[in-house]
Amino acid sequence: MTTINYKFLFGLLLVVVCAGIGIYASWSNVRNARGPREKAYVRRNCIIVFVSVTISLALMYFLPSPYRFLVLIPYLVFVPMYIHRSVTRRQLIRVLDERDRAGEENPPG
């Protein structure tokens, strides 16, 4: 008789739901970006975040028990720093794009 592994099914469901939320958030961020430079930057950030989260989850799943928790240290240190850096850079790109558009509308001379 086979038994159903509910922990595995719950974990799989949780991964699918989180991936769906991440895909929706990425789509929403790209859609709300204003210019082509900002859209490219947001796409690149979304790819970097998806790859880093996937690598972290894989390492936490495959590493033995005392070492898997060490994966959280760089993740919890570098992710807030990366978020702050990317938000600041996105605001800078937005300001530069607005400045470029204003310069095109009002040419000197």
Side-chain angles (χ1 to χ4, degrees):
M1 186 167 136
T2 61
T3 61
I4 299 174
N5 190 347
Y6 290 107
K7 288 182 182 179
F8 176 76
L9 289 177
F10 179 72
L12 187 63
L13 176 69
L14 191 63
V15 167
V16 168
V17 168
C18 289
I21 291 171
I23 290 169
Y24 175 75
S26 298
W27 173 76
S28 177
N29 276 330
V30 171
R31 186 189 63 187
N32 290 332
R34 294 183 183 162
R37 192 172 7 178
E38 186 180 357
K39 283 184 191 278
Y41 180 72
V42 169
R43 276 190 218 107
R44 187 173 59 242
N45 272 347
C46 291
I47 291 169
I48 289 170
V49 168
F50 266 102
V51 168
S52 65
V53 167
T54 303
I55 289 172
S56 296
L57 287 175
L59 286 174
M60 287 192 67
Y61 183 75
F62 290 116
L63 286 177
S65 188
Y67 302 111
R68 73 175 55 180
F69 301 111
L70 295 176
V71 174
L72 289 175
I73 294 170
Y75 188 77
L76 294 176
V77 169
F78 292 119
V79 166
M81 290 169 42
Y82 184 75
I83 289 172
H84 175 71
R85 179 181 164 266
S86 67
V87 167
T88 305
R89 186 170 284 185
R90 184 175 177 180
Q91 290 173 350
L92 177 64
I93 290 171
R94 199 173 266 190
V95 167
L96 291 174
D97 283 346
E98 288 174 2
R99 186 181 298 167
D100 289 345
R101 271 189 246 122
E104 289 173 359
E105 293 172 2
N106 299 324

